[in-house]
Structure formats: C-alpha cells, structure tokens
Amino acid sequence: ILARLGVSVASSIADATHFITDQFVRTRNMLEAIAFGKPVVTHLWIESCGQANCFIDERNYILRDAKKEKEFGFSMPVSLARASQHPLLEVNMWNL
C-alpha cells in the first residue's frame, strides 16, 4: 500500500508525517511522535488509504487506549492537537 501511494518509511520521527501502531507503548519513537504532534494512527488508516487509493483524513483513525490514557492522565487527540500547535520538541535556534 505504501509503495502504491508513493510513500516510504521515514528514518526518524522528525521526518515522518504519521506514526502507525495498534497499541500504546511508551517507546522513544511513540513519545517523540506525540511530542511533535504527528498523528498516531492504527494500521486501519493505511488500509483505508489503500482502499481509497489516496490519503484520507486520519482523525477517525487516531489510536485510542482508554486504559493507558487514564493511567497516564492524558487524551491522545488532545495531546496531538496541542503538540501540533506548539511542538514540545521544537528547537529554538536563538536559545542554543
């Protein structure tokens, strides 16, 4: 599906447009994706894009894990929306 849509797997989260996973795990890549405000979506998004033969709105495919979100006290959609407006890992060159 990725090749047909002209997409390649990014070598870093900074270069990625989306993070695809089916479960919430506190890995460096996932936490960076959230901090950068990259949409964290399930594999169903890729499958749906493949069926439509184009990229579709990812909002209905954002990963939700009520147990983990409650355990860590966050909401994935809210966290992604906030981070996309003000990335947590944004580097300000003037402060270096």
Side-chain angles (χ1 to χ4, degrees):
I1 295 171
L2 294 176
R4 187 164 38 89
L5 293 172
V7 177
S8 61
V9 176
S11 59
S12 73
I13 294 300
D15 296 331
T17 60
H18 294 74
F19 186 82
I20 301 167
T21 184
D22 287 326
Q23 61 181 344
F24 182 85
V25 288
R26 288 177 28 179
T27 63
R28 177 182 175 174
N29 285 338
M30 177 175 262
L31 295 176
E32 283 182 6
I34 294 168
F36 277 117
K38 309 285 180 164
V40 177
V41 296
T42 69
H43 77 280
L44 296 174
W45 178 71
I46 287 290
E47 290 180 16
S48 296
C49 291
Q51 289 173 354
N53 208 28
C54 65
F55 293 105
I56 59 174
D57 189 343
E58 67 273 339
R59 285 180 286 188
N60 292 330
Y61 299 90
I62 298 294
L63 176 69
R64 296 307 308 264
D65 184 332
K67 183 179 176 184
K68 293 288 185 180
E69 289 179 43
K70 182 177 181 181
E71 180 181 340
F72 296 116
F74 82 108
S75 164
M76 182 70 79
V78 171
S79 295
L80 293 174
R82 286 181 182 160
S84 68
Q85 295 297 317
H86 303 286
L88 301 175
L89 297 178
E90 186 173 64
V91 176
N92 183 338
M93 297 302 288
W94 299 107
N95 291 329
L96 294 179

